[in-house]
Amino acid sequence: METITGFVEHIVYRNEENGYTVLNLASNEEDEITCVGVFQMISEGESLELTGEYTVHPSYGPQFKVQQYSIKAPEDIASIERYLGSGAIKGVGAALAARIVRKFKEDTFRIIEEEPERLAEIKGISERKAREIYQQFHEKQDMRQAMMFLTQYGISMSLAVKIYQEYGPKTYQVVQENPYRLADDISGIGFKMADEIAGRIGI
């Protein structure tokens, strides 16, 4: 097993049902690497640490087959700017990301989380837009945690997204206390599946 690090340059393919993803990873050690594996939620611009092995696909050539991964918080100015400008947050493109990072530098994520109103100090960001950036930033983090929580009970990626969209922050409470509600509220989940989820939870 080998471990590589880098950032997601481009997502080539993604299956929303099971999370199977093909992506191009820009690595410091070598040129762009094609990586394949199951990822719960991932965006272009994110920094990753991947563990797996190199293989050769008969049609697509060398690939890195991912067994485990972790998402690393962007630490330097370049990676913060790359993440913000990647399209991960709607309405923030490369030029606006550059202005945000130029002003707040390594403090950018703390400002978004703790003092989002200060984003309005930047040309092109109104108070309303500053609030929207803050909300998206938080929703993305909350949704990722919910995906990790749901998929551990054998729920597919596409159903996990539907569940989170239906219940939001109440997802954990609903699934742990009364998973049978899923059969009533979520299309694609019948009683049998809800019963299987309940069994995995221990109900």
Coordinates of all heavy atoms in Angstrom, one line a residue, residues 81-170:
E81 N -7.2 29.3 -1.7 CA -7.7 30.0 -2.9 C -8.2 29.0 -3.9 O -9.3 29.2 -4.5 CB -6.6 30.9 -3.5 CG -7.1 31.7 -4.6 CD -6.0 32.6 -5.2 OE1 -5.1 33.1 -4.4 OE2 -6.0 32.8 -6.4
R82 N -7.5 27.9 -4.1 CA -7.9 26.9 -5.1 C -9.2 26.3 -4.7 O -10.1 26.1 -5.5 CB -6.8 25.9 -5.1 CG -6.9 24.8 -6.2 CD -5.7 24.1 -6.5 NE -5.1 23.5 -5.2 CZ -3.9 23.7 -4.7 NH1 -3.1 24.4 -5.4 NH2 -3.5 23.1 -3.6
Y83 N -9.4 26.0 -3.4 CA -10.6 25.4 -2.9 C -11.8 26.4 -3.1 O -12.8 26.0 -3.7 CB -10.5 25.0 -1.5 CG -11.9 24.5 -0.9 CD1 -12.4 23.2 -1.3 CD2 -12.6 25.3 -0.1 CE1 -13.6 22.8 -0.8 CE2 -13.9 24.8 0.4 CZ -14.3 23.6 0.0 OH -15.5 23.1 0.5
L84 N -11.6 27.6 -2.7 CA -12.7 28.6 -2.8 C -13.1 28.9 -4.3 O -14.3 29.1 -4.6 CB -12.3 29.9 -2.1 CG -12.4 30.0 -0.6 CD1 -12.0 31.4 -0.1 CD2 -13.8 29.7 -0.1
G85 N -12.1 28.9 -5.1 CA -12.3 29.2 -6.5 C -12.7 28.0 -7.4 O -12.9 28.2 -8.6
S86 N -12.9 26.8 -6.8 CA -13.1 25.6 -7.5 C -14.5 25.4 -7.9 O -14.9 24.5 -8.7 CB -12.7 24.4 -6.7 OG -13.6 24.2 -5.6
G87 N -15.4 26.3 -7.4 CA -16.9 26.1 -7.7 C -17.6 25.4 -6.5 O -18.7 25.1 -6.6
A88 N -16.8 25.1 -5.5 CA -17.4 24.4 -4.3 C -18.4 25.2 -3.7 O -19.4 24.7 -3.1 CB -16.3 24.0 -3.3
I89 N -18.2 26.6 -3.7 CA -19.2 27.5 -3.2 C -19.8 28.3 -4.3 O -19.0 29.0 -5.0 CB -18.6 28.4 -2.1 CG1 -18.2 27.5 -0.9 CG2 -19.5 29.5 -1.6 CD1 -17.4 28.2 0.2
K90 N -21.1 28.2 -4.6 CA -21.7 28.9 -5.7 C -21.5 30.4 -5.6 O -21.7 31.0 -4.5 CB -23.2 28.5 -5.7 CG -23.5 27.1 -6.2 CD -25.0 26.8 -6.2 CE -25.2 25.4 -6.3 NZ -26.5 25.0 -5.9
G91 N -21.2 31.0 -6.7 CA -21.1 32.5 -6.7 C -19.7 33.0 -6.4 O -19.4 34.1 -6.5
V92 N -18.8 32.0 -6.0 CA -17.4 32.4 -5.8 C -16.5 31.8 -6.8 O -16.3 30.6 -6.8 CB -17.0 32.0 -4.4 CG1 -15.5 32.4 -4.2 CG2 -17.8 32.6 -3.3
G93 N -16.1 32.6 -7.8 CA -15.2 32.1 -8.8 C -13.8 32.3 -8.5 O -13.4 32.8 -7.4
A94 N -12.9 32.1 -9.4 CA -11.5 32.2 -9.2 C -11.1 33.7 -8.8 O -10.3 33.9 -7.9 CB -10.7 31.7 -10.4
A95 N -11.6 34.6 -9.6 CA -11.3 36.0 -9.3 C -11.7 36.5 -7.9 O -10.9 37.1 -7.2 CB -11.9 36.9 -10.4
L96 N -12.9 36.2 -7.5 CA -13.4 36.6 -6.2 C -12.7 35.8 -5.1 O -12.3 36.4 -4.1 CB -14.9 36.3 -6.1 CG -15.6 36.9 -4.9 CD1 -15.3 38.3 -4.7 CD2 -17.1 36.6 -5.0
A97 N -12.4 34.5 -5.3 CA -11.6 33.8 -4.4 C -10.2 34.4 -4.1 O -9.8 34.5 -3.0 CB -11.4 32.3 -4.8
A98 N -9.6 34.9 -5.2 CA -8.3 35.5 -5.1 C -8.4 36.8 -4.3 O -7.5 37.1 -3.4 CB -7.8 35.8 -6.5
R99 N -9.5 37.6 -4.4 CA -9.6 38.8 -3.7 C -9.9 38.5 -2.2 O -9.3 39.2 -1.3 CB -10.8 39.6 -4.2 CG -10.5 40.3 -5.5 CD -11.4 41.5 -5.8 NE -12.8 41.3 -5.8 CZ -13.4 40.9 -6.9 NH1 -12.8 40.8 -8.1 NH2 -14.7 40.7 -6.9
I100 N -10.7 37.5 -1.9 CA -10.9 37.1 -0.5 C -9.6 36.7 0.2 O -9.3 37.1 1.3 CB -12.0 35.9 -0.4 CG1 -13.3 36.4 -0.9 CG2 -12.1 35.4 1.0 CD1 -14.3 35.3 -1.1
V101 N -8.9 35.8 -0.5 CA -7.6 35.3 0.1 C -6.6 36.3 0.2 O -5.8 36.4 1.2 CB -7.2 34.0 -0.6 CG1 -5.8 33.5 -0.1 CG2 -8.2 32.9 -0.5
R102 N -6.5 37.3 -0.8 CA -5.5 38.3 -0.7 C -5.8 39.2 0.5 O -4.8 39.7 1.1 CB -5.6 39.2 -2.0 CG -4.4 40.1 -2.2 CD -4.3 40.5 -3.7 NE -5.5 41.1 -4.2 CZ -6.1 40.7 -5.3 NH1 -5.6 39.7 -6.0 NH2 -7.2 41.3 -5.8
K103 N -7.0 39.4 0.9 CA -7.3 40.2 2.1 C -7.1 39.5 3.4 O -6.5 40.0 4.4 CB -8.8 40.7 2.0 CG -9.1 41.6 3.2 CD -10.3 42.5 3.0 CE -10.7 43.4 4.1 NZ -9.7 44.4 4.4
F104 N -7.6 38.2 3.5 CA -7.7 37.5 4.8 C -6.6 36.5 4.9 O -6.4 35.9 6.0 CB -9.0 36.9 5.0 CG -10.1 37.9 5.1 CD1 -11.2 37.9 4.2 CD2 -10.2 38.9 6.0 CE1 -12.2 38.8 4.2 CE2 -11.2 39.9 6.1 CZ -12.2 39.8 5.1
K105 N -5.9 36.2 3.8 CA -4.8 35.2 3.9 C -5.1 33.9 4.6 O -6.2 33.3 4.3 CB -3.5 35.9 4.5 CG -3.1 37.1 3.7 CD -1.9 37.8 4.2 CE -1.4 38.9 3.3 NZ -2.3 40.0 3.1
E106 N -4.2 33.4 5.5 CA -4.5 32.1 6.1 C -5.7 32.1 7.1 O -6.2 31.1 7.5 CB -3.2 31.7 7.0 CG -2.1 31.2 6.2 CD -1.1 32.3 5.9 OE1 -1.5 33.5 6.1 OE2 0.0 32.0 5.4
D107 N -6.2 33.3 7.3 CA -7.3 33.5 8.3 C -8.7 33.3 7.5 O -9.7 33.4 8.2 CB -7.3 34.9 8.9 CG -7.5 34.9 10.4 OD1 -7.5 33.8 10.9 OD2 -7.8 35.9 10.9
T108 N -8.6 33.1 6.2 CA -9.8 33.1 5.4 C -11.0 32.2 5.9 O -12.1 32.7 6.1 CB -9.5 32.7 3.9 OG1 -8.6 33.6 3.4 CG2 -10.8 32.6 3.1
F109 N -10.7 30.9 6.2 CA -11.7 30.0 6.7 C -12.3 30.4 8.0 O -13.5 30.3 8.3 CB -11.2 28.6 6.7 CG -11.1 28.0 5.4 CD1 -10.4 26.8 5.2 CD2 -11.7 28.5 4.2 CE1 -10.2 26.2 3.9 CE2 -11.6 27.9 3.0 CZ -10.8 26.8 2.8
R110 N -11.4 30.9 8.9 CA -11.9 31.4 10.2 C -12.8 32.6 10.1 O -13.9 32.6 10.7 CB -10.7 31.8 11.1 CG -11.1 32.1 12.6 CD -10.1 32.8 13.4 NE -9.8 34.1 12.9 CZ -10.6 35.2 13.1 NH1 -11.7 35.0 13.8 NH2 -10.3 36.3 12.6
I111 N -12.5 33.5 9.1 CA -13.4 34.6 8.9 C -14.7 34.2 8.4 O -15.8 34.6 8.9 CB -12.7 35.6 7.9 CG1 -11.4 36.2 8.4 CG2 -13.7 36.7 7.4 CD1 -11.7 37.3 9.5
I112 N -14.7 33.2 7.4 CA -16.0 32.7 6.9 C -16.8 32.1 8.0 O -18.1 32.3 8.0 CB -15.7 31.7 5.7 CG1 -15.1 32.4 4.5 CG2 -17.0 31.0 5.3 CD1 -14.7 31.5 3.4
E113 N -16.2 31.4 8.9 CA -17.0 30.7 9.9 C -17.4 31.6 11.1 O -18.5 31.4 11.6 CB -16.1 29.5 10.5 CG -16.0 28.3 9.5 CD -15.5 27.1 10.2 OE1 -16.3 26.5 11.0 OE2 -14.4 26.7 10.0
E114 N -16.5 32.5 11.5 CA -16.7 33.2 12.7 C -17.1 34.7 12.5 O -17.8 35.2 13.3 CB -15.5 33.1 13.6 CG -15.1 31.7 14.0 CD -13.8 31.7 14.8 OE1 -13.3 32.7 15.3 OE2 -13.3 30.5 14.9
E115 N -16.6 35.3 11.4 CA -17.0 36.7 11.2 C -17.4 36.9 9.7 O -16.8 37.7 9.0 CB -15.7 37.6 11.5 CG -15.2 37.5 12.9 CD -13.9 38.3 13.1 OE1 -14.1 39.5 13.2 OE2 -12.8 37.7 13.1
P116 N -18.4 36.2 9.2 CA -18.7 36.2 7.8 C -19.1 37.6 7.3 O -18.9 37.9 6.1 CB -19.9 35.2 7.7 CG -20.4 35.1 9.1 CD -19.3 35.3 10.0
E117 N -19.6 38.5 8.2 CA -20.0 39.8 7.8 C -18.8 40.6 7.3 O -18.9 41.5 6.5 CB -20.6 40.6 9.0 CG -19.7 40.9 10.2 CD -19.5 39.8 11.1 OE1 -20.1 38.7 11.0 OE2 -18.7 39.9 12.1
R118 N -17.5 40.2 7.7 CA -16.3 40.9 7.2 C -16.1 40.7 5.7 O -15.3 41.4 5.1 CB -15.1 40.5 8.0 CG -15.1 41.1 9.5 CD -13.8 41.0 10.1 NE -12.7 41.6 9.4 CZ -11.5 41.4 9.6 NH1 -11.1 40.5 10.5 NH2 -10.5 42.0 8.9
L119 N -16.7 39.6 5.2 CA -16.5 39.4 3.7 C -17.1 40.5 2.9 O -16.6 40.8 1.8 CB -17.3 38.1 3.3 CG -16.7 36.8 3.9 CD1 -17.7 35.6 3.6 CD2 -15.3 36.4 3.3
A120 N -18.0 41.3 3.5 CA -18.6 42.4 2.8 C -17.6 43.6 2.6 O -17.9 44.5 1.9 CB -19.9 42.9 3.5
E121 N -16.4 43.5 3.3 CA -15.4 44.5 3.1 C -14.8 44.4 1.7 O -14.1 45.2 1.2 CB -14.3 44.3 4.1 CG -14.8 44.5 5.6 CD -13.7 44.1 6.6 OE1 -12.5 44.0 6.2 OE2 -14.1 43.9 7.8
I122 N -15.0 43.2 1.0 CA -14.4 43.0 -0.3 C -15.3 43.4 -1.4 O -16.5 43.2 -1.4 CB -14.1 41.5 -0.4 CG1 -13.0 41.1 0.6 CG2 -13.6 41.1 -1.8 CD1 -12.8 39.7 0.9
K123 N -14.7 44.1 -2.4 CA -15.5 44.6 -3.5 C -16.1 43.4 -4.2 O -15.5 42.4 -4.5 CB -14.5 45.3 -4.5 CG -15.2 46.0 -5.7 CD -14.2 46.6 -6.6 CE -14.9 47.2 -7.8 NZ -14.0 47.7 -8.8
G124 N -17.4 43.5 -4.5 CA -18.2 42.5 -5.2 C -18.9 41.5 -4.2 O -19.6 40.6 -4.7
I125 N -18.8 41.8 -2.9 CA -19.5 41.0 -1.9 C -20.4 41.9 -1.1 O -19.9 42.7 -0.3 CB -18.6 40.2 -1.0 CG1 -17.7 39.2 -1.8 CG2 -19.4 39.4 0.0 CD1 -16.8 38.3 -1.0
S126 N -21.7 41.7 -1.2 CA -22.7 42.4 -0.4 C -22.9 41.7 0.9 O -22.4 40.5 1.1 CB -24.1 42.5 -1.1 OG -24.6 41.1 -1.3
E127 N -23.6 42.3 1.8 CA -23.9 41.6 3.1 C -24.7 40.3 2.9 O -24.4 39.3 3.5 CB -24.6 42.5 4.1 CG -23.7 43.6 4.6 CD -24.5 44.5 5.6 OE1 -25.6 44.1 6.1 OE2 -24.0 45.6 5.9
R128 N -25.6 40.4 1.9 CA -26.4 39.2 1.6 C -25.5 38.1 1.1 O -25.7 36.9 1.4 CB -27.5 39.6 0.6 CG -28.4 38.4 0.2 CD -29.4 38.9 -0.8 NE -30.1 37.7 -1.3 CZ -30.9 37.8 -2.3 NH1 -31.2 38.9 -2.9 NH2 -31.5 36.7 -2.8
K129 N -24.6 38.4 0.2 CA -23.7 37.4 -0.4 C -22.8 36.8 0.6 O -22.5 35.6 0.6 CB -22.9 38.0 -1.6 CG -22.1 37.0 -2.3 CD -21.7 37.5 -3.7 CE -21.0 36.4 -4.4 NZ -21.1 36.4 -5.8
A130 N -22.4 37.7 1.6 CA -21.5 37.2 2.6 C -22.2 36.1 3.5 O -21.7 35.1 3.8 CB -21.1 38.3 3.5
R131 N -23.5 36.4 3.7 CA -24.3 35.4 4.5 C -24.5 34.1 3.7 O -24.5 33.0 4.2 CB -25.7 36.0 4.8 CG -25.7 36.9 6.0 CD -27.1 37.2 6.5 NE -28.0 37.7 5.5 CZ -28.1 39.0 5.2 NH1 -27.4 39.9 5.9 NH2 -29.0 39.5 4.3
E132 N -24.7 34.2 2.4 CA -24.9 33.0 1.5 C -23.6 32.2 1.5 O -23.7 31.0 1.5 CB -25.2 33.5 0.1 CG -26.7 34.0 -0.1 CD -26.9 34.6 -1.5 OE1 -26.0 34.6 -2.3 OE2 -28.1 35.0 -1.7
I133 N -22.4 32.9 1.4 CA -21.2 32.1 1.4 C -21.0 31.4 2.8 O -20.7 30.2 2.8 CB -20.0 33.1 1.2 CG1 -20.0 33.7 -0.2 CG2 -18.6 32.4 1.5 CD1 -19.0 34.8 -0.4
Y134 N -21.3 32.0 3.9 CA -21.3 31.4 5.2 C -22.2 30.2 5.2 O -21.8 29.1 5.7 CB -21.7 32.4 6.2 CG -22.0 31.8 7.6 CD1 -21.0 31.5 8.5 CD2 -23.3 31.6 8.0 CE1 -21.3 30.9 9.7 CE2 -23.6 31.1 9.2 CZ -22.6 30.7 10.1 OH -22.9 30.2 11.3
Q135 N -23.4 30.3 4.8 CA -24.4 29.2 4.8 C -24.0 28.0 4.0 O -24.0 26.9 4.4 CB -25.8 29.7 4.3 CG -26.5 30.5 5.4 CD -27.7 31.2 4.8 OE1 -27.9 31.4 3.6 NE2 -28.6 31.7 5.7
Q136 N -23.5 28.3 2.8 CA -23.0 27.2 1.9 C -21.8 26.5 2.5 O -21.7 25.3 2.5 CB -22.6 27.8 0.6 CG -23.7 28.1 -0.4 CD -23.2 28.4 -1.8 OE1 -22.7 27.5 -2.4 NE2 -23.4 29.6 -2.2
F137 N -20.9 27.3 3.1 CA -19.7 26.7 3.7 C -20.1 25.7 4.8 O -19.6 24.6 4.9 CB -18.9 27.9 4.3 CG -17.5 27.5 4.7 CD1 -16.5 27.3 3.7 CD2 -17.1 27.3 6.0 CE1 -15.2 27.0 4.0 CE2 -15.8 26.9 6.3 CZ -14.8 26.8 5.3
H138 N -21.1 26.1 5.6 CA -21.5 25.3 6.7 C -22.3 24.1 6.3 O -22.2 23.0 6.8 CB -22.3 26.1 7.7 CG -21.5 26.6 8.9 ND1 -21.3 25.9 10.0 CD2 -20.8 27.7 9.0 CE1 -20.5 26.5 10.8 NE2 -20.1 27.7 10.2
E139 N -23.2 24.3 5.3 CA -24.0 23.2 4.8 C -23.1 22.1 4.2 O -23.4 21.0 4.3 CB -25.0 23.8 3.7 CG -26.2 24.4 4.3 CD -27.1 25.1 3.3 OE1 -26.8 24.9 2.1 OE2 -27.9 25.9 3.7
K140 N -22.1 22.6 3.5 CA -21.2 21.6 2.9 C -20.5 20.7 3.9 O -20.4 19.5 3.8 CB -20.1 22.3 2.1 CG -19.6 21.5 0.9 CD -18.9 22.4 -0.1 CE -18.4 21.7 -1.2 NZ -19.4 21.0 -2.0
Q141 N -20.1 21.3 5.0 CA -19.5 20.6 6.1 C -20.5 19.7 6.8 O -20.2 18.5 7.1 CB -18.9 21.5 7.1 CG -17.6 22.3 6.6 CD -17.1 23.3 7.6 OE1 -17.8 24.0 8.3 NE2 -15.8 23.3 7.8
D142 N -21.7 20.2 7.0 CA -22.7 19.4 7.7 C -23.2 18.2 6.8 O -23.4 17.1 7.3 CB -24.0 20.3 8.0 CG -23.7 21.3 9.1 OD1 -22.7 21.2 9.7 OD2 -24.5 22.3 9.2
M143 N -23.3 18.5 5.5 CA -23.8 17.4 4.6 C -22.7 16.3 4.5 O -23.1 15.1 4.5 CB -24.0 18.0 3.2 CG -24.7 17.0 2.3 SD -25.3 17.8 0.8 CE -26.2 16.5 0.0
R144 N -21.4 16.7 4.5 CA -20.4 15.7 4.4 C -20.4 14.8 5.7 O -20.3 13.5 5.6 CB -19.0 16.3 4.3 CG -17.9 15.3 4.3 CD -16.6 16.0 4.0 NE -16.4 16.4 2.6 CZ -16.0 17.6 2.2 NH1 -15.5 18.4 3.1 NH2 -15.9 17.9 1.0
Q145 N -20.6 15.4 6.8 CA -20.7 14.6 8.1 C -21.9 13.6 8.0 O -21.8 12.5 8.5 CB -20.8 15.5 9.3 CG -19.4 16.1 9.6 CD -19.5 17.2 10.7 OE1 -20.6 17.7 11.0 NE2 -18.4 17.5 11.3
A146 N -23.0 14.2 7.5 CA -24.3 13.3 7.4 C -24.1 12.2 6.5 O -24.5 11.1 6.7 CB -25.4 14.2 7.0
M147 N -23.4 12.4 5.3 CA -23.1 11.3 4.4 C -22.3 10.2 5.0 O -22.6 9.0 4.8 CB -22.3 11.9 3.2 CG -22.9 12.9 2.3 SD -24.3 12.2 1.4 CE -25.6 13.1 2.2
M148 N -21.3 10.6 5.8 CA -20.4 9.6 6.5 C -21.3 8.8 7.5 O -21.1 7.6 7.6 CB -19.3 10.3 7.2 CG -18.3 10.9 6.2 SD -17.0 11.9 7.0 CE -16.0 10.6 7.7
F149 N -22.2 9.5 8.2 CA -23.0 8.9 9.2 C -24.0 7.9 8.5 O -24.2 6.7 8.9 CB -23.8 9.9 9.9 CG -25.0 9.4 10.7 CD1 -24.8 8.8 11.9 CD2 -26.3 9.6 10.3 CE1 -25.9 8.3 12.7 CE2 -27.4 9.1 11.0 CZ -27.1 8.5 12.2
L150 N -24.6 8.3 7.4 CA -25.6 7.5 6.7 C -25.0 6.3 6.0 O -25.6 5.2 6.0 CB -26.5 8.3 5.7 CG -27.4 9.4 6.4 CD1 -27.9 10.3 5.3 CD2 -28.5 8.7 7.1
T151 N -23.9 6.5 5.3 CA -23.4 5.4 4.5 C -22.8 4.2 5.4 O -22.7 3.1 4.9 CB -22.2 5.9 3.5 OG1 -21.3 6.6 4.3 CG2 -22.8 6.7 2.4
Q152 N -22.5 4.5 6.7 CA -22.1 3.4 7.5 C -23.2 2.4 7.8 O -23.0 1.3 8.3 CB -21.5 4.0 8.9 CG -22.6 4.5 9.8 CD -22.1 5.1 11.1 OE1 -21.0 4.7 11.6 NE2 -22.7 6.1 11.6
Y153 N -24.5 2.8 7.5 CA -25.6 1.9 7.7 C -26.0 1.3 6.4 O -27.1 0.8 6.3 CB -26.8 2.7 8.3 CG -26.5 3.1 9.7 CD1 -26.5 4.5 10.1 CD2 -26.1 2.2 10.8 CE1 -26.2 4.9 11.4 CE2 -25.8 2.7 12.0 CZ -25.9 4.0 12.3 OH -25.6 4.5 13.6
G154 N -25.1 1.3 5.4 CA -25.4 0.7 4.1 C -26.3 1.4 3.2 O -26.9 0.9 2.2
I155 N -26.5 2.7 3.5 CA -27.4 3.6 2.6 C -26.6 4.1 1.5 O -25.5 4.6 1.7 CB -28.0 4.7 3.5 CG1 -28.9 4.2 4.6 CG2 -28.8 5.7 2.6 CD1 -29.2 5.2 5.7
S156 N -27.1 4.0 0.2 CA -26.4 4.5 -0.9 C -26.2 6.0 -0.9 O -26.9 6.7 -0.2 CB -27.1 4.1 -2.2 OG -28.2 4.9 -2.4
M157 N -25.2 6.5 -1.7 CA -25.0 7.9 -1.8 C -26.2 8.7 -2.2 O -26.5 9.7 -1.6 CB -23.8 8.2 -2.8 CG -22.5 7.6 -2.4 SD -21.9 8.2 -0.8 CE -21.5 9.9 -1.3
S158 N -26.9 8.2 -3.2 CA -28.0 9.0 -3.8 C -29.1 9.1 -2.7 O -29.8 10.1 -2.6 CB -28.5 8.4 -5.1 OG -28.9 7.1 -4.9
L159 N -29.4 8.0 -2.0 CA -30.4 8.0 -1.0 C -30.0 8.8 0.2 O -30.8 9.5 0.8 CB -30.8 6.6 -0.5 CG -31.6 5.7 -1.5 CD1 -31.8 4.3 -1.0 CD2 -33.0 6.4 -1.8
A160 N -28.7 8.8 0.5 CA -28.2 9.6 1.6 C -28.4 11.1 1.3 O -28.8 11.9 2.2 CB -26.7 9.3 1.8
V161 N -28.2 11.5 0.1 CA -28.4 12.9 -0.3 C -29.9 13.2 -0.1 O -30.3 14.3 0.4 CB -28.0 13.2 -1.8 CG1 -28.5 14.5 -2.2 CG2 -26.5 13.0 -1.9
K162 N -30.8 12.3 -0.6 CA -32.3 12.6 -0.4 C -32.7 12.7 1.0 O -33.5 13.6 1.4 CB -33.1 11.4 -1.1 CG -33.2 11.4 -2.6 CD -34.1 10.3 -3.0 CE -34.2 10.2 -4.5 NZ -35.0 9.0 -4.9
I163 N -32.1 11.8 1.9 CA -32.4 11.8 3.3 C -32.0 13.2 3.9 O -32.8 13.8 4.6 CB -31.8 10.7 4.0 CG1 -32.4 9.3 3.6 CG2 -31.9 10.8 5.5 CD1 -31.6 8.1 4.0
Y164 N -30.8 13.6 3.6 CA -30.3 14.8 4.2 C -31.1 16.0 3.7 O -31.4 17.0 4.4 CB -28.8 15.1 3.8 CG -28.2 16.3 4.5 CD1 -27.9 16.3 5.9 CD2 -28.1 17.5 3.8 CE1 -27.5 17.4 6.5 CE2 -27.6 18.6 4.5 CZ -27.3 18.6 5.8 OH -26.8 19.7 6.4
Q165 N -31.5 16.0 2.4 CA -32.3 17.1 1.9 C -33.7 17.2 2.5 O -34.2 18.3 2.7 CB -32.5 17.0 0.3 CG -31.2 17.3 -0.4 CD -31.3 16.9 -1.9 OE1 -32.1 16.2 -2.4 NE2 -30.4 17.5 -2.7
E166 N -34.2 16.0 2.9 CA -35.5 16.0 3.6 C -35.4 16.4 5.0 O -36.3 17.2 5.5 CB -36.0 14.5 3.5 CG -37.3 14.3 4.3 CD -38.6 14.9 3.6 OE1 -38.5 15.1 2.3 OE2 -39.5 15.3 4.3
Y167 N -34.4 16.0 5.8 CA -34.4 16.2 7.2 C -33.3 17.2 7.7 O -33.4 17.7 8.8 CB -34.1 14.9 8.0 CG -35.1 13.8 7.7 CD1 -34.7 12.6 7.2 CD2 -36.5 14.0 7.9 CE1 -35.7 11.6 6.9 CE2 -37.4 13.0 7.7 CZ -37.0 11.8 7.2 OH -37.9 10.8 6.9
G168 N -32.3 17.5 6.9 CA -31.3 18.5 7.3 C -30.6 18.0 8.6 O -30.3 16.8 8.8
P169 N -30.4 18.9 9.5 CA -29.7 18.6 10.8 C -30.5 17.5 11.6 O -29.9 17.0 12.5 CB -29.7 19.9 11.5 CG -29.9 21.0 10.5 CD -30.8 20.4 9.4
K170 N -31.8 17.3 11.3 CA -32.5 16.3 12.1 C -32.3 14.9 11.6 O -32.8 13.9 12.2 CB -34.0 16.6 12.0 CG -34.5 17.9 12.8 CD -35.9 18.0 12.7 CE -36.4 19.3 13.4 NZ -37.8 19.6 13.2

